[in-house]
Amino acid sequence: MMRRAVVKGVGHYLPERVVPNAEFEATLDTTDEWIKARSGIERRHFAADDQHTSDLATEAAKAALAMAGMQGSDIDAIILATSTSDLTFPSAATMVQHNIGNSTGYAFDVQAVCAGFVYALANANALIASGQADRVMVIGAETFSRIMDWTDRSTCVLFGDGAGAVILEAEDGTGANTDRGILSTDLNSDGRYKDLLYVDGGVSTQNTGMLRMEGKEVFRHAVEKLAKTAETALEKVGLGADDVTWVVPHQANIRIIQSTAKKLGVGMERVIVTVQDHGNTSAASIPLALSVGVQNGQIKQGDLVVTEAIGGGLAWGSVVIRW
Ligand code: UT7
């Protein structure tokens, strides 16, 4: 017997305002064609001025609770992956905890940038496997529109705002890779690459800062590292590409998604793609894609789902889930 973290609900929220690529043509030396061709992005959502990351996260959390048929008070732990928390402290997770009517569990944020959701899932799995929690809500939520340099065409056209949430519950499995739930995780980071993607400010440096990225270099690392981490996670439980029903990648660039799928040996018909509609929502991109995939009837119970992500740090990883 083995305790498994099984998905019971998933939900997402996107702010109302949709910004098509063409809107950037008025203020930047760019075109809809360039953005589409180089990134696959066609539009993204931006939060309203009075909407903060915890507001987006709360809506996603409520949608996931509804699907799971649970109340906020049923949750033991809330882990929120974000790099754009409302305040320096307390965590956005505690704000969500209050908003969903939970005062008995514990809540905290995880910061691993675009790999944040994969990191949070792995930590949720560890809490459940070790008996420290029975029901864990894992959220990815971001307002990257707040850290964009609107004069830098090489970054500001790529990112968007949004939130997604997943609820995991402990169930007894057999220990075999046919069990439902999280089957394996693979996490990595390498701070030698911290200057490839970062925000040039923070609490300790006394300004909020803006996102800076060496796009080409990050692209190169992504193509090299994503397929490898997914393969490693699959190998840990004796699975391979042929067993995969869905790859749910971090949605940064369609060209990265395609080359990773090719390296893995998984056809694009088995990859969930939302980058055209959401842009890069950092830690929110995978739970958004999971929720859209379930909503569209693509991801079904029993499917083998492989998530993979890379971002600032560099930090990267993969989680294999039997849905
Ligand atoms: O989520 C975290 C992980 N992040 C990523 O995975 C992002 C990884 N990187 C990428 O997705 C791509 O590198 C980008 C989409 C950022 C850029 O695509 P690229 O094919 O690597 O283009 P590039 O940076 O080599 O730029 C090509 C040209 C440059 O002009 P020159 O130097 O060749 O004259 C850029 O100045 O395109 C220019 N350019 C633009 N042109 C029109 C850069 N941004 C734009 C723009 N519109 N928005």
Side-chain angles (χ1 to χ4, degrees), residues 30 34 38 114 153-154 215-216 218 250 252-253 255-256 280:
T30 190
W34 189 95
R38 304 313 295 164
C114 299
R153 67 177 184 173
S154 73
K216 256 199 163 82
V218 176
H250 170 49
N253 187 317
R255 293 183 294 134
I256 296 174
N280 182 345

Side-chain angles (χ1 to χ4, degrees), residues 302-313:
D303 285 356
L304 190 75
V305 175
V306 179
T307 62
E308 33 94 344
I310 187 166

Side-chain angles (χ1 to χ4, degrees), residues 76-138:
D76 299 324
I78 300 167
I79 309 180
L80 195 157
T82 189
S83 302
T84 49
S85 205
D86 300 27
L87 301 176
T88 300
F89 70 75
S91 65
T94 53
M95 298 175 189
V96 174
Q97 181 191 16
H98 174 66
N99 292 344
I100 63 171
N102 180 300
S103 57
T104 51
Y106 52 97
F108 58 99
D109 289 357
V110 156
Q111 212 275 53
V113 205
C114 299
F117 188 76
V118 161
Y119 271 60
L121 265 186
N123 278 280
N125 183 50
L127 289 179
I128 287 177
S130 62
Q132 294 177 80
D134 290 329
R135 288 170 167 181
V136 183
M137 178 183 276
V138 186

Side-chain angles (χ1 to χ4, degrees), residues 121-299:
L121 265 186
N123 278 280
N125 183 50
L127 289 179
I128 287 177
S130 62
Q132 294 177 80
D134 290 329
R135 288 170 167 181
V136 183
M137 178 183 276
V138 186
I139 307 172
E142 303 278 15
T143 46
F144 261 49
S145 62
R146 305 284 151 76
I147 51 168
M148 289 296 109
D149 175 351
W150 299 111
T151 66
D152 178 8
R153 67 177 184 173
S154 73
T155 54
C156 74
V157 302
L158 301 174
F159 294 88
D161 301 339
V166 164
I167 295 171
L168 301 166
E169 186 172 34
E171 268 184 19
D172 288 330
T174 62
N177 64 21
T178 47
D179 284 350
R180 283 191 71 201
I182 292 178
L183 299 179
S184 70
T185 65
D186 181 58
L187 301 183
N188 313 268
S189 67
D190 190 339
R192 278 181 301 171
Y193 303 117
K194 66 184 171 49
D195 297 332
L196 296 184
L197 175 49
Y198 65 103
V199 170
D200 60 2
V203 183
S204 194
T205 51
Q206 295 287 296
N207 75 80
T208 305
M210 288 184 281
L211 183 144
R212 307 293 174 201
M213 177 166 73
E214 301 290 335
K216 256 199 163 82
E217 278 301 295
V218 176
F219 192 104
R220 196 175 62 73
H221 283 284
V223 167
E224 175 196 311
K225 293 179 166 59
L226 286 173
K228 188 154 176 282
T229 184
E231 274 163 4
T232 302
L234 284 165
E235 277 165 16
K236 285 181 183 177
V237 280
L239 295 168
D242 291 346
D243 302 305
V244 175
T245 325
W246 294 106
V247 175
V248 183
H250 170 49
Q251 311 278 324
N253 187 317
I254 190 66
R255 293 183 294 134
I256 296 174
I257 293 171
Q258 287 163 340
S259 59
T260 301
K262 196 170 170 195
K263 272 197 169 181
L264 273 173
V266 173
M268 283 302 289
E269 73 285 353
R270 289 194 280 148
V271 180
I272 305 280
V273 180
T274 55
V275 70
Q276 71 284 356
D277 296 325
H278 302 164
N280 182 345
T281 59
S282 190
S285 91
I286 288 176
L288 271 164
L290 287 170
S291 182
V292 168
V294 168
Q295 208 169 59
N296 290 346
Q298 294 168 291
I299 301 171

